[in-house]
Amino acid sequence: MHPLPPPGATARPSRTPPACFARSGQAAAIAVLLACLPATSPAMAADGAVDSALAEQVHEAVNSYRASQQLPALRLSAELAQLAAEHSQTLSAQRQLTHAGFQARFERARRQTCVENLAAGFTRPEPMLAGWRRSADHHRNLLDARVQEVGVASVAGHVTWLACSAR
């Protein structure tokens, strides 16, 4: 388990996943996102195809928010997008949100730092981003100054946003 940093701490250990990936904090983070789900379920692609339009919209929305906070835009990474797509495919198949396997994605990315946000059931990026902003751990991930690259994928309504430091 990776506990939250003590009050007043400004940095997490660079190879330690953020607290929102710890099993104990995961339920609360998921509850925040589930509370933001639309009242009706959107039509989901039965074939599990990647929804590149939604992924691109999420990327643009996050970069716009980062710019409003005086942070640089995140560059798209095909490698991180592949890792995100694999995880979104798993989430879709399991019909759940879970950060299970984050450590493996982190190791496969071969980066100093990675953070990850998940969502399900959204058809537009704005309410998704609003849900992440309301969750302290997910908001911290959005504004992490240590990350420069991102992979975003949406498969059957399951979104993985994986941001990492550059190589």
Side-chain angles (χ1 to χ4, degrees):
M1 177 173 358
H2 305 283
L4 286 170
T10 57
R12 299 181 298 259
S14 60
R15 292 208 44 99
T16 302
C20 67
F21 304 118
R23 292 184 193 276
S24 63
Q26 184 177 353
I30 290 172
V32 168
L33 289 175
L34 291 177
C36 301
L37 288 176
T40 58
S41 178
M44 302 293 177
D47 62 0
V50 173
D51 180 353
S52 57
L54 180 58
E56 183 177 324
Q57 292 169 2
V58 170
H59 176 244
E60 290 171 2
V62 170
N63 274 346
S64 177
Y65 179 61
R66 285 176 59 91
S68 77
Q69 303 299 306
Q70 290 72 50
L71 288 168
L74 299 174
R75 294 182 307 274
L76 284 175
S77 161
E79 175 188 8
L80 296 179
Q82 178 61 40
L83 293 172
E86 290 171 10
H87 189 55
S88 287
Q89 185 71 41
T90 299
L91 295 176
S92 174
Q94 295 175 350
R95 296 180 179 208
Q96 66 175 355
L97 286 179
T98 176
H99 289 287
F102 173 77
Q103 188 64 36
R105 286 185 295 286
F106 173 65
E107 291 170 4
R108 286 178 61 198
R110 299 183 316 267
R111 310 296 176 96
Q112 188 68 25
T113 302
C114 288
V115 295
E116 177 179 79
N117 286 356
L118 307 175
F122 294 91
T123 58
R124 297 181 307 110
E126 296 84 5
M128 183 184 314
L129 181 59
W132 286 341
R133 288 178 59 187
R134 284 191 296 270
S135 163
D137 288 334
H138 293 93
H139 190 242
R140 181 176 28 236
N141 290 346
L142 293 171
L143 301 180
D144 196 321
R146 299 172 300 165
V147 299
Q148 296 87 30
E149 297 184 348
V150 68
V152 186
S154 175
V155 175
H158 293 80
V159 175
T160 300
W161 180 86
L162 178 65
C164 300
S165 54
R167 288 195 185 184

